[in-house]
Amino acid sequence: MVALLGISGSLRKGSLNTALMQAAAALPADGYRMDTAGIHGIPLYDGDLEEAEGIPAAVAALKEKIISADGVILFTPEYNNGIPGAFKNAIDWLSRPSSDMARVFGGKAFALVGASPGNFGTLLSQNGWLSVLHTLGCRTFSEKRLMVSRAHTLFDAEGKLTDEATAKRLGDLLAAFAKFAGK
């Protein structure tokens, strides 16, 4: 059984990316299981804070979830045509101390998914993540990408995905990524 971890990079209560991640976790899984996580409770990275207090508990807990997973899916928003600052900050914390980077990221399978109310999905954010993941030593999944455009029209008032075509694309990506992560 391949263990996947989805991480939502949004802090917003009504986040489209968190809703998409929850939809992914609710899909029928064949040969994999998917857990979910968020970035709440992670402070702004500050080297002085790290030196004085060490790694914050929220960072340490998320590190352990990543280490336990065979593959990680970043459900990334796109802010101002780029990577969201809070999400990048979380990844920066997860790479500390630098001696821990290989244990957390080295050779780990990572995929990118994103939802946006805009017409281009999260294309620029996903492209921006590629250099970060490369630097961290991740194996990036490039067989399929999922950039959900006009996402606000695809969920109901409770945040449930209502668009069957998007659900199918999401399921296809998860199945393919699980095979990639299980190698």
Side-chain angles (χ1 to χ4, degrees):
M1 180 72 63
V2 176
L4 301 181
L5 174 66
I7 303 174
S8 173
S10 179
L11 296 170
R12 195 168 62 88
K13 182 179 173 184
S15 164
L16 294 168
N17 283 283
T18 301
L20 188 61
M21 178 181 71
Q22 296 301 337
L27 288 173
D30 184 17
Y32 68 91
R33 65 177 173 72
M34 184 173 155
D35 293 324
T36 62
I39 59 170
H40 289 88
I42 296 177
L44 289 175
Y45 179 74
D46 177 344
D48 293 336
L49 176 68
E50 179 186 6
E51 185 177 327
E53 299 178 23
I55 302 298
V59 175
L62 187 52
K63 271 187 182 191
E64 292 309 313
K65 287 182 178 186
I66 292 170
I67 291 165
S68 297
D70 296 307
V72 178
I73 305 167
L74 301 182
F75 287 82
T76 185
E78 180 172 300
Y79 299 157
N80 297 318
N81 292 334
I83 297 172
F87 205 3
K88 175 66 167 64
N89 175 72
I91 297 299
D92 291 342
W93 261 116
L94 291 164
S95 70
R96 301 298 306 154
S98 58
S99 60
D100 220 15
M101 199 165 28
R103 185 173 76 91
V104 177
F105 296 103
K108 181 78 64 182
F110 270 75
L112 296 162
V113 170
S116 169
N119 289 327
F120 300 105
T122 56
L123 175 66
L124 296 173
S125 177
Q126 289 189 35
N127 286 343
W129 277 113
L130 293 175
S131 64
V132 174
L133 295 175
H134 175 76
T135 298
L136 295 171
C138 302
R139 287 188 310 125
T140 53
F141 177 67
S142 60
E143 182 179 323
K144 292 183 182 293
R145 292 175 77 175
L146 183 59
M147 293 159 278
V148 180
S149 306
R150 307 198 44 76
H152 63 291
T153 67
L154 307 178
F155 292 88
D156 66 18
E158 287 77 44
K160 297 212 186 316
L161 182 62
T162 58
D163 184 68
E164 290 180 26
T166 301
K168 169 132 180 41
R169 290 173 45 219
L170 182 58
D172 290 348
L173 181 136
L174 291 172
F177 180 61
K179 287 179 185 172
F180 176 81
K183 291 180 184 176

